[in-house]
Structure formats: structure tokens, C-alpha cells
Amino acid sequence: MSIPTVTLNNGVQMPQIGLGTWPLKDHDAAPVMVTAIEAGYRHIDTAYRYGNQRGVGQGVRDSGIAREELFITSKLDGEFQGQDRAIAGLDECLRQLQMDYVDLLLIHWPLPQRNEYVSTWKTFETLVATGKVRSIGVSNFTPAHLDHLRAETTICPATNQIQLSPRITRPDQVAYGRAHNIVTVSWSPLGQGSDLLSDPTLAAIAQKYGKTAAQVVLRWNIELGLVPIPKSANPVRLTQNLDVFDFGLTPAEVAAITALDTGAETRVDADVVGH
Ligand code: A2P
């Protein structure tokens, strides 16, 4: 199965669906990686905070795939914010993954009360020249955070990874990304296994195309130019979640799915570390 790519603002290609790995831990991540890579995944999303980078790295090695065939994202949380702490943070990620580089390194949360994301980003900018990271981006940033960051620094983030599903559509953040050539990556695109997937609107569209509700939600992401990173540890669902490139939604269907937004956005600027 061939997965389309999106081009990041530095020219790097990112597969348009990735595998989310939260809440897998080191002990259960490796076999899931092997199954996922065999199913066709070439983009894997992990983070220092998840506690699964050793398992992810092990699974990649067990799969036998060449490293350059994969797009690997990791993230540095608050422990590595401020001054030049991100240098040690990236080295620790690479040590755990047993890799020479990651394709994308993200600031996991803006943590605005600490007011360190600009200095952290300036360190991220220096990491690109080391060859240990191909691209840099952010996660859980609002447009205000991005405005501040862009005004103070040189490299525009390649991506902003945010919680985004038909229940939480974040139109302002998506529009900001489009306007500034920042790819929006959707974490928990399936609503974390909530009742989203039994929504009747999704069921009707799914029936029309002979697809599942999860596939319709992932296709909705593709139609909007987003990059969803659904998590599954189940071999059948892993395969199902990649099989969304042989059908398309009409503009009316895209709009009907977007209209499922409940308006109950979770706060993205809280000084907390979660997903
Ligand atoms: P599982 O790992 O057992 O497949 P999200 O990526 O939005 O956080 O959602 C992840 C949750 O959704 C997990 O509980 C996962 O369970 C479940 N899930 C993943 N893919 C599917 C699918 N195709 N259909 C139904 N549930 C899914």
C-alpha cells in the first residue's frame, strides 16, 4: 500500500498518515511497530514523555526496514525546555530509540506560564545543523503562541501537532497552518476510542462507501490536508486505518463531518503534560 506524502516547508516529505504510539509503553510497543511496518506504516509518532521510545526503536529494528524508509517524530516536554536543555533531550531520545536522527522533533507543549518556548525553539534551530534532526515543529500551540514564536525566531515550525477530530475541529488553528505553510498533524483523530465512531452521520457515510466510521474520519482528515496519526495496537485496525486512499468524500460530506464539532475544546495552553 502506497501512502501519499505532504511536503513540509523545508522540502522534507512526510507520509500523510502516521502511527500514534501513546499510550503504548516500552514493553508492548515493539511488536506493534513490527505489525504496523508490515502493514505499510512509514511514519511513527513517539515522544520522550510516552516512555516507549526504546520499544519503538526495538520494533523498527525487529521489522528489518531500512531507517531511511521511515519518518520518525519525537517530542521534548517541559523537562527539556529553556536554555539549551533540548540538546541533551534530543540526545536522550536518540539514545533510547538507538537512532542517529529523527525526521521531526517537536516542542511537546508550549507551557506558556514558563515562557521558555522561544528560547527552546532557538536551541531547536541549532539542532537542525547537527544532522540529528531533519525538521523541527511544535505541538499543542495556539495561533497566539505561533505568532510569538515566529516573531522572535528564524525557522518557521514545519508542523503543529494538535488534538483534532470531528468533535474538536479547531478551525482557527487549521486556517493558521494553511496561511503560514505549517502542516497540521491531528493527534487522537479517532476521538481516543470514544463514542465518536458510533455517530450516525459517520455511519451513513461509511455505509455509502463500504468503509468504517474510523476510515471516514481519517479520510476527512486527508480531504482537509491534515496528517492524522491514529493509534491502534490491533492488527486488523492498523491495516484498516491505512486503507483510506481509494475513496473520496464530497464537499457536503466533509462539511457534515466538520459540523459534528461539539465546541467543547480542551485547553491547549494549560501548563500540564498529557498526551
Ligand atoms: P486499539 O488500539 O485497540 O485499536 P486515537 O488515535 O484517536 O487516540 O484513538 C485510539 C483508540 O481508538 C484506541 O483505543 C484504539 O484501540 C481505537 N481504534 C484505533 N483504530 C480504530 C478503528 N479503526 N476502529 C475502532 N477503534 C479504533
Side-chain angles (χ1 to χ4, degrees), residues 188-193 197 214 229-234 237 240-241 275:
S188 281
L190 303 175
Q192 290 179 6
L197 298 181
I229 49 168
K231 175 265 169 185
S232 181
N234 174 295
R237 291 193 283 270
Q240 184 190 120
N241 292 349
H275 189 291

Side-chain angles (χ1 to χ4, degrees), residues 16-17 163-171 174 178 186-191 196 202 205 212-228 244 247-261:
Q16 204 179 355
I17 285 194
Q163 183 180 19
L164 194 151
S165 77
R167 292 266 166 79
I168 309 169
T169 61
R170 303 196 194 282
V174 172
R178 282 203 192 104
S186 308
W187 66 258
S188 281
L190 303 175
L196 167 69
L202 296 177
I205 298 170
T212 66
Q215 289 172 314
V216 169
V217 169
L218 295 171
R219 184 69 214 182
W220 170 81
N221 274 266
I222 303 300
E223 303 288 356
L224 292 174
L226 309 174
V227 177
V244 299
F247 76 114
L249 302 173
T250 67
E253 288 163 346
V254 170
I257 298 169
T258 303
L260 299 177
D261 193 328

Side-chain angles (χ1 to χ4, degrees), residues 5-17 43 71 104 106 136-140 146 156-162 164 173-186 221 224-229:
T5 57
V6 296
T7 304
L8 304 181
N9 60 17
N10 60 354
V12 168
Q13 301 287 311
M14 171 193 248
Q16 204 179 355
I17 285 194
H43 169 182
F71 187 102
L104 178 63
L106 307 181
I136 53 177
V138 298
S139 186
N140 302 302
L146 285 163
C156 181
T159 66
N160 185 20
Q161 182 184 129
I162 54 177
L164 194 151
Q173 276 156 287
V174 172
Y176 189 98
R178 282 203 192 104
H180 298 285
N181 202 10
I182 300 168
V183 169
T184 298
V185 176
S186 308
N221 274 266
L224 292 174
L226 309 174
V227 177
I229 49 168

